[in-house]
Amino acid sequence: MASLSTGAIEALANGSGWNEAVLQLVNIRKIDGGSGPSRFRVMMSDGRHTLSSFMLSTQLNYMAEENLLVPNCVCVLKRQVTNMLKDGRRVVIILEIDVIKPADASGKIGDPIPYSDGQSRGPQPAPVPESRSPLQPQNRNEAVVRNLKRDFAKKTPSALPDTPGGSSKIVPIASLNPYQSKWTIRARVTNKSSIRTWSNARGEGKLFSMEIVDESGEIRVTGFNQEVDKFFSLIEVGKVYYISKGSLKIANKQYTSVKNDYEMTLNGESTVIPCEDSCDVPMVQCDFVPIGDLENREKDAIVDVIGVCKSVDELTRLTTKSNREVSKRTLSLMDISGKLVTVTLWGEEAEKFDGSGQPIVAIKSAKLSDFGGRSLSASFSSTMMINPDIPEAYKLRGWFDKEGHAMEGQSLTEVRGAGGRLSENWKSLADVKSEHLGHGDKADYYSCIATIVFLRKENCLYQACPTQDCNKKVVDQQNGMFRCEKCDKEFPNFKYRLILSANIADYADNQWVTCFQDSAEAILGQNAAYLGQLKDSNESAFDEIFQQANFNTFIFRNRVKLETYNDESRIKATVMDVKPVDHREYSKRLIMNIRSMGAK
Amino acid sequence: MAGILDVPKPRINCSMLSQFINRAVCFIGRVEKVHPTGKMFTVMDGEGKTATVELNEPVEEELSGIVEVIGMVSNKGEIMASTYNLLREDKGVPFDLELYNEALKVIHDFPQHYPFQVAASG
């Protein structure tokens, strides 16, 4: 039989605290949260006193909603935090609670009386009736609870919205937490996203997000639906605002490098007011990682970096898999560690970037990739600053002008082949197998130098739909017509396309690969149409082409992926690109590898 | 001359000449100046140093560009050529003399991995 922790209520109410208090739940009341989550107000008893100033933390709302917490159940208060209100009263936020005895197993234990702490400095009468008669019928409680809520609101200096620079107390961003809602912060907006809309089974909506910073730290803020209308156009990047009464929750760190365990959502009660006096508020909060340390970070990590833009490449355009055209530019960043890393910029940022004069470039929330060893990419949520007004930038400039400019630097991103923009990932064919490339969720890509040792000339050609961009195999209707299922049409002709199965080998191992049209034509030195013609008309000439193509050496860029057909898993390798060997680049790479191996 | 063709001929540059005195070597360099008699010319290696090559008979053709010389190193550090071979400049990838020099250094730094001293079979 659980006995309650007598004296715990008094201890919790006066601030002394009590660990693992065993209490009986007397009453639980839902408080509608407006546009935020509902809150549950709980009255607990230790057999001697009752206290109604317990609030369930929102992450435990499910316990109330699923009727795990009902009057008369006995619980152990495992984790709580006590907040002091401005009038001196305490509210105990329940962070973790276990029900050790269900409600029906026990009636009311003891004959507790409401605890009045005598410290209450609240002049309003409303709190007093509440604590004297906690068990009054529903409506009375409701009225009292609402009163209490209004009291809380009243006690907050209401001068805040009217005189921002006045008597309101500003709290640091670093102190924000989900258990206090009556705060005001003063922060600068460092990054604002555009409005994004969504539409799914549950409905539609829009949101925007931003990152704000003050002397103590930074935090990510999101506004939904009505808050978008209220605040989006008001907020400008670089300006400082007083923000109050947002809701806090645990942060999803996947998309941002913002250092805060929590993130904020603007709700119906939140206010955003421009601040005139802003010079104290820092421009940006970054936790820069030395470029040399990037090797030790996990791929896909989000990091902040700063360095000198030692060199910048030409703007290029490429077409994505979804047939969109996008601009791209790479630059080389170097810092005091003497190491260099390649950074990729996209879209407008790539187009606008001016790397002349070797500026200091700082990027917040850049994405680290293992492309070419280690490289960085500026994504949608990255912020790039050129010659920022921060001490790290000045330090870098000083170092670079004195000694850095003369350094060659060692790049973390693999040396690209002449004219090659891709960071190649050189592997021997034995490495591909021993490193289990392709066994993960995503396909792996690698480059190798290998010699063709076998070409399968049987079934290397198929009849494809003559429509441009449709490569589906057509069905021979045997009446002179060919049917394409994808286009749902019949044609009197077709075009030949290649799917070439080949075995390639290097000093270490061999590999079966599939070459599609472009790479197959490059290997065979003939186009598919001509080959198709030869196959039908001149078999020995057709064979000759394959003889000539055999035992040639190329640079292959291959894609490997584990594929499963009917319970059987096999590694499939596809040739993405085939190029003649550039012996100079190859020699340089070999010499570099030999030297670095020799140095170890 | 037959004798020299049967022996392994290590590839060297100017810095290594002194270590290969009285031995058969293979030297690649860029032709600098041809002596008026045509029996001697200078070559520059990938490091920018120069060596002298002496021939038995005067050269009959125009000597320019990269040349590969096979011969014996004399006491004075000159190469007594048995035969030479001009690399064609009009075809293929241009010969990278500096890269060749880097490769030479690797071969000499790691002789255990480049065992050229296997006697050629008769």
Side-chain angles (χ1 to χ4, degrees):
Chain A
M1 180 134 80
S3 57
L4 305 179
S5 309
T6 320
I9 291 289
E10 179 165 8
L12 288 168
N14 68 22
S16 330
W18 192 289
N19 286 335
E20 310 269 312
V22 181
L23 304 170
Q24 182 172 44
L25 193 149
V26 178
N27 200 8
I28 179 163
R29 172 107 290 147
K30 181 171 175 175
I31 300 175
D32 192 11
S35 61
S38 313
R39 300 307 298 264
F40 286 90
R41 185 149 174 194
V42 185
M43 178 187 294
M44 305 295 282
S45 147
D46 66 353
R48 180 187 289 166
H49 290 119
T50 63
L51 187 65
S52 66
S53 12
F54 287 87
M55 293 291 286
L56 207 59
S57 68
T58 51
Q59 65 236 36
L60 298 181
N61 277 6
Y62 75 92
M63 292 183 84
E65 282 154 1
E66 288 171 23
N67 287 323
L68 295 168
L69 294 171
V70 287
N72 281 346
C73 68
V74 179
C75 315
V76 167
L77 189 57
K78 303 220 70 156
R79 235 173 8 113
Q80 72 272 10
V81 74
T82 310
N83 285 344
M84 179 91 99
L85 298 177
K86 289 206 158 45
D87 66 349
R89 274 179 302 143
R90 286 193 164 79
V91 173
V92 180
I93 310 288
I94 301 171
L95 302 177
E96 198 182 326
I97 187 166
D98 287 347
V99 178
I100 53 172
K101 261 190 132 216
D104 39 4
S106 33
K108 188 170 92 166
I109 297 173
D111 193 13
I113 57 166
Y115 181 78
S116 55
D117 57 13
Q119 281 175 317
S120 178
R121 289 188 282 278
Q124 277 78 353
V128 176
E130 182 277 320
S131 55
R132 246 198 253 127
S133 50
L135 298 176
Q136 287 312 328
Q138 309 281 49
N139 48 2
R140 179 76 188 278
N141 254 340
E142 241 164 351
V144 162
V145 163
R146 258 191 246 115
N147 245 343
L148 211 52
K149 194 156 180 269
R150 273 207 301 274
D151 288 339
F152 290 168
K154 261 196 242 158
K155 280 162 183 52
T156 311
S158 55
L160 183 56
D162 304 315
T163 58
S167 56
S168 60
K169 183 165 162 243
I170 308 283
V171 298
I173 285 181
S175 76
L176 291 177
N177 66 73
Y179 316 113
Q180 282 174 306
S181 52
K182 314 289 186 290
W183 44 259
T184 301
I185 55 170
R186 184 178 73 158
R188 191 186 303 272
V189 177
T190 55
N191 195 357
K192 184 176 94 165
S193 78
S194 47
I195 299 178
R196 297 209 263 276
T197 60
W198 79 83
S199 173
N200 60 28
R202 287 188 294 173
E204 298 184 318
K206 56 185 172 180
L207 69 94
F208 82 101
S209 63
M210 61 178 180
E211 288 166 16
I212 59 177
V213 70
D214 74 2
E215 299 85 349
S216 73
E218 50 181 2
I219 191 165
R220 190 174 153 79
V221 182
T222 308
F224 292 92
N225 302 318
Q226 287 159 320
E227 277 67 54
V228 175
D229 297 328
K230 261 201 274 184
F231 299 122
F232 185 78
S233 36
L234 165 70
I235 290 172
E236 287 176 49
V237 176
K239 293 229 163 53
V240 180
Y241 300 89
Y242 288 103
I243 300 175
S244 69
K245 300 196 208 153
S247 347
L248 278 292
K249 62 175 194 203
I250 305 284
N252 178 349
K253 298 245 179 127
Q254 203 187 348
Y255 299 112
T256 178
S257 72
V258 168
K259 300 241 163 357
N260 201 315
D261 289 337
Y262 302 114
E263 52 184 342
M264 189 196 304
T265 305
L266 299 170
N267 58 47
E269 298 200 331
S270 311
T271 63
V272 177
I273 299 158
C275 165
E276 301 311 307
D277 172 25
S278 60
C279 42
D280 290 349
V281 184
M283 296 285 280
V284 70
Q285 274 267 355
C286 279
D287 187 11
F288 294 116
V289 176
I291 293 179
D293 279 358
L294 290 175
E295 288 175 303
N296 303 328
R297 295 297 178 105
E298 289 275 305
K299 76 170 211 178
D300 294 337
I302 308 280
V303 291
D304 303 335
V305 283
I306 187 169
V308 180
C309 169
K310 202 153 195 285
S311 65
V312 62
D313 300 316
E314 293 283 308
L315 186 70
T316 59
R317 291 190 80 78
L318 33 103
T319 317
T320 67
K321 283 190 279 248
S322 40
N323 279 330
R324 265 188 312 126
E325 270 229 331
V326 70
S327 304
K328 175 180 150 178
R329 193 197 289 271
T330 48
L331 60 105
S332 195
L333 213 61
M334 174 154 125
D335 70 2
I336 299 186
S337 66
K339 297 277 169 72
L340 286 156
V341 70
T342 301
V343 181
T344 307
L345 305 177
W346 302 92
E348 216 182 290
E349 220 168 42
E351 287 161 20
K352 288 199 296 200
F353 183 76
D354 180 11
S356 55
Q358 293 177 312
I360 307 287
V361 174
I363 306 181
K364 187 167 172 58
S365 302
K367 185 157 176 170
L368 185 65
S369 150
D370 64 353
F371 214 40
R374 279 287 180 273
S375 53
L376 289 168
S377 175
S379 67
F380 285 121
S381 39
S382 308
T383 314
M384 182 168 76
M385 295 156 274
I386 316 271
N387 290 324
D389 189 9
I390 53 181
E392 287 90 340
Y394 294 116
K395 233 171 65 177
L396 264 175
R397 181 97 264 155
W399 161 80
F400 190 73
D401 290 343
K402 254 187 36 194
E403 26 176 307
H405 66 274
M407 285 175 81
E408 259 304 308
Q410 198 199 347
S411 182
L412 300 182
T413 315
E414 278 240 331
V415 176
R416 282 106 84 220
R421 294 292 94 174
L422 281 177
S423 293
E424 283 148 320
N425 180 24
W426 293 101
K427 297 284 172 203
S428 77
L429 293 178
D431 290 339
V432 175
K433 292 184 187 167
S434 68
E435 289 174 19
H436 299 293
L437 292 182
H439 281 251
D441 296 329
K442 291 196 299 187
D444 283 319
Y445 293 83
Y446 67 89
S447 292
C448 68
I449 294 195
T451 305
I452 298 176
V453 293
F454 182 80
L455 287 165
R456 183 172 289 136
K457 60 181 197 272
E458 295 76 30
N459 296 326
C460 66
L461 286 159
Y462 73 98
Q463 297 164 334
C465 175
T467 314
Q468 168 126 109
D469 292 335
C470 178
N471 295 327
K472 182 137 180 79
K473 181 170 171 170
V474 290
V475 181
D476 189 342
Q477 308 281 64
Q478 303 296 340
N479 58 359
M481 297 298 278
F482 299 88
R483 180 171 171 70
C484 174
E485 292 297 342
K486 193 159 135 190
C487 299
D488 199 24
K489 269 168 63 174
E490 284 193 355
F491 303 92
N493 59 346
F494 57 82
K495 60 185 191 231
Y496 270 119
R497 283 187 71 85
L498 285 160
I499 297 188
L500 184 63
S501 196
N503 187 286
I504 61 176
D506 66 10
Y507 66 89
D509 208 326
N510 71 356
Q511 172 87 55
W512 283 97
V513 297
T514 306
C515 309
F516 291 101
Q517 185 82 341
D518 296 334
S519 44
E521 285 182 339
I523 287 172
L524 295 170
Q526 294 292 350
N527 66 43
Y530 180 63
L531 282 164
Q533 209 185 8
L534 270 189
K535 186 165 83 108
D536 297 335
S537 61
N538 188 346
E539 184 135 1
S540 57
F542 182 75
D543 289 348
E544 180 67 19
I545 289 179
F546 283 82
Q547 290 285 21
Q548 288 297 319
N550 208 8
F551 299 116
N552 288 320
T553 306
F554 295 99
I555 295 177
F556 289 90
R557 177 133 187 96
N558 293 343
R559 172 189 189 273
V560 276
K561 178 108 178 62
L562 191 65
E563 313 249 323
T564 314
Y565 296 125
N566 307 329
D567 299 334
E568 211 190 276
S569 292
R570 236 190 278 161
I571 286 285
K572 302 295 244 108
T574 314
V575 176
M576 306 300 294
D577 185 59
V578 89
K579 283 197 295 249
V581 178
D582 179 338
H583 289 96
R584 283 184 66 215
E585 289 305 315
Y586 185 30
S587 301
K588 282 188 192 150
R589 195 157 41 81
L590 286 173
I591 289 174
M592 193 171 75
N593 289 346
I594 289 172
R595 289 296 178 197
S596 63
M597 277 196 276
K600 285 192 189 145
Chain B
M1 168 116 105
I4 202 170
L5 291 178
D6 291 337
V7 179
K9 295 158 282 291
R11 291 176 175 278
I12 60 163
N13 60 19
C14 291
S15 327
M16 304 166 192
L17 277 170
S18 51
Q19 296 151 29
F20 286 83
I21 295 192
N22 284 326
R23 289 183 53 192
V25 297
C26 173
F27 189 100
I28 289 188
R30 190 179 297 280
V31 177
E32 277 202 310
K33 280 177 67 154
V34 183
H35 194 267
T37 61
K39 288 184 75 172
M40 193 178 82
F41 60 92
T42 53
V43 278
M44 185 188 285
D45 70 5
E47 283 177 346
K49 303 207 184 78
T50 314
T52 310
V53 179
E54 280 192 24
L55 300 161
N56 294 327
E57 281 115 30
V59 45
E60 274 153 19
E61 58 185 329
E62 187 71 45
L63 267 189
S64 72
I66 312 278
V67 65
E68 183 181 47
V69 178
I70 292 177
M72 299 286 288
V73 183
S74 72
N75 295 343
K76 292 184 290 173
E78 292 171 344
I79 304 171
M80 317 304 287
S82 305
T83 178
Y84 70 85
N85 176 25
L86 269 181
L87 302 188
R88 291 181 73 152
E89 293 180 298
D90 56 335
K91 271 188 152 183
V93 179
F95 191 84
D96 187 334
L97 200 53
E98 284 78 25
L99 189 57
Y100 174 78
N101 193 67
E102 288 302 310
L104 268 195
K105 293 202 293 203
V106 169
I107 292 172
H108 287 272
D109 286 346
F110 301 101
Q112 69 274 33
H113 296 298
Y114 298 95
F116 294 128
Q117 272 61 47
V118 180
S121 54

